[in-house]
Amino acid sequence: MPRDNVNDLLVFLAVARERSFTRAAAKMGVSQSALSHTIRQLEARLGVRLLTRTTRAVSPTGAGERLLAGIGPHFDEIEAQVDALNDLRDKPAGTIRISAPDFAISSVLWPKLKAFLPQFPDIKVELLQENGLTDIVTERYDAGVRMGDQLAKDMISARIGPDFRFAVVGSKSYFASRPEPATPQDLVQHSCINYRFPTSGGLWAWDFEEEGREFKIRVEGQLVFNNIFNALDAAVAGFGLAYVPEELAIPHLAKGRLVRVLERWSPYWDGYYLYYPSRRQSSPAFVALVEALRHRG
């Protein structure tokens, strides 16, 4: 096969998988116009339309889906074989892509990576903030991070963080004109800062526990975020009550910027786990990373 054909097929794979010329161009380090030109040439040469383009999205046609399914696994296998050559190096090497929630990156991954990376200069780690339940296989991540109760059964997992609690917090200015809630049910009388799940689009119902019984409270308010740090900032600014990881709230509580309520109803959550498909077990770089991230408490 001529080399140009191989390059054109790689461009097609990138655009078809990303469903975007913009993201594919950024990933490949070329311009969108160059990718578009390549796709047009490939379609003209094959005599079929491979991609449907609209102002908002790109999706494979029937012929494009067939080509994607046919050649995708072969190129993946070639990439895997090239990556496997890293096993022959004296030092672990390679790029590892991890999908993780914002709080997991700041509280678990980054603190441990700061010690790990200087020891392994040939290992590159790409952290992608994803607060939804991302399909790491479809999105071509090497691993993902979730709490223990969200792990898929067909994945291998390693615990990387301790159990933790969430805290209901509000500013002193917010409570200046409102009584503190005495029970979780009182939250329906308060302005609360909601969190929307990126995957399902639903609003998060706040979790509580009393005498071993778990229950949820659905709250209302003026603000909705899909980032826990934004919710915390809004609470500090006095816009309502937020439900955030205890670790994030503690510095603000210590300085008097926030007040914590309903603490005795706050349950402990199963901590974060790194999870991945079995095919990643053999990479020395990945094994080294898992050992560095593993929770030993």
Side-chain angles (χ1 to χ4, degrees), residues 90-133:
D90 294 334
K91 297 180 180 179
T95 299
I96 300 170
R97 301 178 72 243
I98 302 175
S99 166
D102 46 15
F103 178 59
I105 291 175
S106 69
S107 66
V108 178
L109 294 176
W110 181 233
K112 294 183 178 183
L113 285 173
K114 285 190 290 187
F116 171 79
L117 291 174
Q119 301 176 51
F120 297 93
D122 295 326
I123 296 178
K124 298 179 180 179
V125 178
E126 187 173 346
L127 297 178
L128 291 305
Q129 179 182 307
E130 301 275 0
N131 289 326
L133 299 179

Side-chain angles (χ1 to χ4, degrees), residues 205-225:
W206 295 5
D207 294 86
F208 297 98
E209 183 179 88
E210 184 176 25
E211 298 180 351
R213 181 181 67 88
E214 296 181 1
F215 60 97
K216 298 178 181 291
I217 300 292
R218 295 196 174 276
V219 298
E220 297 290 339
Q222 287 185 292
L223 286 170
V224 179
F225 293 104

Side-chain angles (χ1 to χ4, degrees), residues 43-276:
E43 289 176 329
R45 188 162 63 248
L46 297 177
V48 292
R49 187 74 173 267
L50 298 174
L51 298 171
T52 298
R53 308 163 181 81
T54 68
T55 56
R56 294 187 177 183
V58 176
S59 60
T61 62
E65 290 285 5
R66 181 174 177 177
L67 183 61
L68 178 61
I71 68 172
H74 296 292
F75 278 99
D76 290 344
E77 180 61 25
I78 293 171
E79 183 178 347
Q81 292 301 323
V82 172
D83 288 343
L85 295 178
N86 285 321
D87 297 354
L88 304 178
R89 295 170 59 106
D90 294 334
K91 297 180 180 179
T95 299
I96 300 170
R97 301 178 72 243
I98 302 175
S99 166
D102 46 15
F103 178 59
I105 291 175
S106 69
S107 66
V108 178
L109 294 176
W110 181 233
K112 294 183 178 183
L113 285 173
K114 285 190 290 187
F116 171 79
L117 291 174
Q119 301 176 51
F120 297 93
D122 295 326
I123 296 178
K124 298 179 180 179
V125 178
E126 187 173 346
L127 297 178
L128 291 305
Q129 179 182 307
E130 301 275 0
N131 289 326
L133 299 179
T134 304
D135 184 337
I136 61 171
V137 175
T138 301
E139 298 298 327
R140 297 169 59 78
Y141 292 112
D142 296 302
V145 173
R146 289 183 186 175
M147 288 186 289
D149 61 347
Q150 298 174 333
L151 293 172
K153 294 181 180 179
D154 59 345
M155 293 285 173
I156 297 173
S157 63
R159 188 182 183 97
I160 61 173
D163 291 348
F164 62 94
R165 293 198 297 174
F166 273 66
V168 180
V169 294
S171 69
K172 290 183 178 179
S173 63
Y174 174 82
F175 286 120
S177 58
R178 303 169 181 82
E180 295 183 8
T183 69
Q185 289 76 13
D186 292 341
L187 290 171
V188 298
Q189 307 299 325
H190 284 265
S191 178
C192 297
I193 301 161
N194 258 308
Y195 178 92
R196 189 176 298 281
F197 289 107
T199 305
S200 66
L203 294 177
W204 187 11
W206 295 5
D207 294 86
F208 297 98
E209 183 179 88
E210 184 176 25
E211 298 180 351
R213 181 181 67 88
E214 296 181 1
F215 60 97
K216 298 178 181 291
I217 300 292
R218 295 196 174 276
V219 298
E220 297 290 339
Q222 287 185 292
L223 286 170
V224 179
F225 293 104
N226 65 353
N227 182 298
I228 207 73
F229 294 96
N230 295 144
L232 177 65
D233 290 344
V236 172
F239 283 90
L241 302 183
Y243 190 59
V244 299
E246 186 177 57
E247 181 178 323
L248 294 184
I250 287 175
H252 297 282
L253 295 170
K255 294 181 179 180
R257 289 193 290 260
L258 288 175
V259 175
R260 183 173 187 176
V261 296
L262 307 175
E263 182 173 357
R264 75 179 186 88
W265 278 274
S266 298
Y268 276 93
W269 293 38
D270 200 1
Y272 284 117
Y273 289 74
L274 187 80
Y275 68 98
Y276 49 95

